[in-house]
């Protein structure tokens, strides 16, 4: 009889394990991007999960109102409108995003640069001055214009995940137009084959506590600019970046797509905990990895 003790104990524990269900919501945010939010919960927490999801969406909307260059009343629009004239007050959130953007610009050698929208080459080199007390910013050159699209989506999703975790929901997946962050897990994810029919995917697997962002031209055409040449990047295929946080993945997929596969090998060595996937239109892929990070690291920034 003793030899059946452990299997019976395992069955008893399995029977007592709480059952989980997945609650999914979807809204359009950040320039009509479909943002899908899924939570793994016990059934009795459904009402609280729906409330937490609504709160995360409200947070995303409030952040977008502060940092979107497409909103005339945003703090970033204030900076653009007052370039060369006067500083603008900033919220701590906008200041945090701009500091991260400048750090990525320096670390990528300008492959990611939020001044890409400037009216001239001189404006594209104009200093961005940030002050913490009180929080404010100033675009020194009158022709400097900034846009946060290259990393703003990832940054907002990271804030949403933090808010959900603060409310006790640490099993969450947010997919914002194909860029996603998984908290807890496992969650099944995949990468669209560039240019293929919708649903034709590669790199399918289950992940936990991971972010994934992809850059390519197969959906929106020539929309990625090289900040140095101020010209649209023309390149087949796509590049995907896996990182612990989506801000890093969202910023670096753009930077790597700008500089191309060969140069990307050296750039990712400046970061930790990255996995990079270059995917061809025929589905063939190449994988590169940066040095590992210890659990809880910040992805390099």
């Amino acid at each position: 009889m003793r030899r059946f003790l452990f299997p019976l104990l395992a069955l008893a524990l399995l029977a007592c394990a709480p059952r989980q269900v997945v609650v999914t919501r979807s809204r359009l945010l950040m320039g009509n991007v479909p943002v899908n939010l899924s939570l793994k919960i016990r059934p009795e927490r459904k009402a609280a999960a729906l409330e937490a999801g609504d709160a995360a969406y409200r947070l995303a909307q409030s952040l977008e109102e502060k940092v979107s260059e497409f909103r005339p009343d945003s703090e970033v629009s204030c900076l653009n409108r007052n370039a060369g004239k006067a500083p603008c007050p900033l919220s701590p959130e906008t200041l945090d995003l701009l500091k991260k953007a400048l750090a990525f610009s320096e670390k990528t050698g300008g492959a990611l640069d939020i001044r890409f929208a400037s009216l001239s080459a001189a404006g594209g080199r104009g200093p961005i001055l940030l002050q913490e007390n009180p929080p404010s910013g100033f675009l020194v050159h009158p022709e400097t214009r900034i846009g946060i699209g290259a990393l703003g989506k990832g940054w907002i999703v990271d804030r949403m995940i933090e808010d959900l975790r603060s409310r006790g929901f640490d099993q969450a997946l947010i997919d914002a137009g194909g860029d996603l962050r998984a908290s807890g897990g496992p969650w099944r994810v995949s990468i669209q084959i560039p240019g293929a029919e919708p649903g034709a995917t590669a790199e399918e697997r289950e992940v936990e506590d991971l972010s994934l962002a992809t850059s390519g031209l197969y959906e929106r055409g020539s929309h990625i600019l090289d900040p140095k040449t101020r010209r649209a990047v023309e390149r087949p295929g796509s590049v995907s970046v896996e990182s612990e946080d989506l801000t890093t993945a969202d910023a670096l997929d753009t930077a790597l797509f700008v500089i191309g596969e060969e140069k990307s090998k050296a750039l990712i060595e400046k970061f930790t905990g990255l996995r990079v996937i270059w995917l061809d239109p025929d589905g063939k892929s190449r994988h590169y990895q940066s040095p590992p990070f210890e659990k809880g690291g910040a992805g390099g920034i």
Side-chain angles (χ1 to χ4, degrees):
M1 292 295 293
R2 195 171 298 170
R3 66 180 183 274
F4 295 110
L5 176 60
F6 293 118
L8 288 173
L9 179 59
L11 287 172
L13 290 174
L14 183 62
C16 294
R19 184 170 65 90
Q20 284 191 320
V21 297
V22 177
V23 174
T24 299
R25 310 289 297 277
S26 183
R27 292 189 186 177
L28 294 176
L29 295 170
M30 298 178 269
N32 290 325
V33 173
V35 179
N36 302 315
L37 188 159
S38 298
L39 298 173
K40 288 183 180 179
I41 59 165
R42 297 191 304 275
E44 64 269 22
R45 297 199 71 196
K46 183 176 180 180
L50 294 175
E51 183 178 342
D54 287 341
Y57 281 125
R58 287 195 299 270
L59 173 63
Q61 187 170 6
S62 70
L63 293 173
E64 183 184 358
E65 290 170 355
K66 294 176 181 177
V67 303
S68 173
E69 66 268 28
F70 301 109
R71 291 178 174 267
D73 57 347
S74 75
E75 296 172 14
V76 168
S77 290
C78 178
L79 292 172
N80 287 334
R81 191 166 49 248
N82 287 281
K85 301 174 185 176
C88 291
L90 301 177
S91 63
E93 294 86 358
T94 303
L95 181 65
D96 172 72
L97 174 59
L98 295 179
K99 287 170 65 177
K100 283 182 167 60
L102 294 181
F104 278 115
S105 181
E106 180 179 357
K107 208 163 184 179
T108 62
L112 180 138
D113 194 329
I114 59 173
R115 297 171 296 184
F116 71 91
S118 295
L119 305 179
S120 66
R125 298 188 298 269
I128 300 174
L129 302 183
L130 300 177
Q131 177 178 295
E132 295 207 23
N133 192 19
S136 65
F138 180 47
L139 307 183
V140 175
H141 196 283
E143 294 183 332
T144 298
R145 299 292 184 273
I146 62 173
I148 53 82
L151 74 164
K153 181 167 61 172
W155 177 80
I156 288 176
V157 170
D158 284 340
R159 304 289 82 74
M160 293 175 72
I161 289 291
E162 290 173 5
D163 189 69
L164 289 168
R165 285 176 169 174
S166 73
R167 299 172 187 273
F169 295 93
D170 56 2
Q171 296 282 326
L173 177 70
I174 299 179
D175 181 339
D179 295 338
L180 58 90
R181 178 164 175 182
S183 174
W187 299 94
R188 179 159 290 277
V189 302
S190 60
I191 302 173
Q192 171 76 22
I193 297 176
E197 292 295 321
T201 59
E203 303 291 329
E204 295 185 10
R205 68 187 190 285
E206 291 187 336
V207 301
E208 296 184 35
D209 294 318
L210 180 142
S211 297
L212 174 69
T214 300
S215 271
L217 308 179
Y218 53 94
E219 287 187 347
R220 297 173 55 193
S222 300
H223 68 285
I224 299 175
L225 298 180
D226 184 334
K228 294 182 178 179
T229 65
R230 297 170 54 79
R231 296 177 181 174
V233 177
E234 297 293 340
R235 197 182 303 285
S238 67
V239 60
S240 298
V241 177
E242 293 180 1
S243 179
E244 187 175 28
D245 64 282
L246 191 54
T247 306
T248 296
D250 198 17
L252 292 185
D253 70 339
T254 304
L256 298 184
F257 193 82
V258 166
I259 65 176
E261 184 173 350
E262 286 304 311
K263 292 182 179 179
S264 73
K265 298 175 189 177
L267 179 57
I268 66 173
E269 291 296 317
K270 296 182 180 181
F271 296 84
T272 57
L274 300 182
R275 182 167 174 258
V276 176
I277 305 155
W278 286 89
L279 189 62
D280 295 334
D282 61 4
K284 293 180 181 178
S285 63
R286 276 87 52 208
H287 293 220
Y288 305 97
Q289 204 156 345
S290 69
F293 62 90
E294 295 184 7
K295 190 67 176 176
I301 289 290

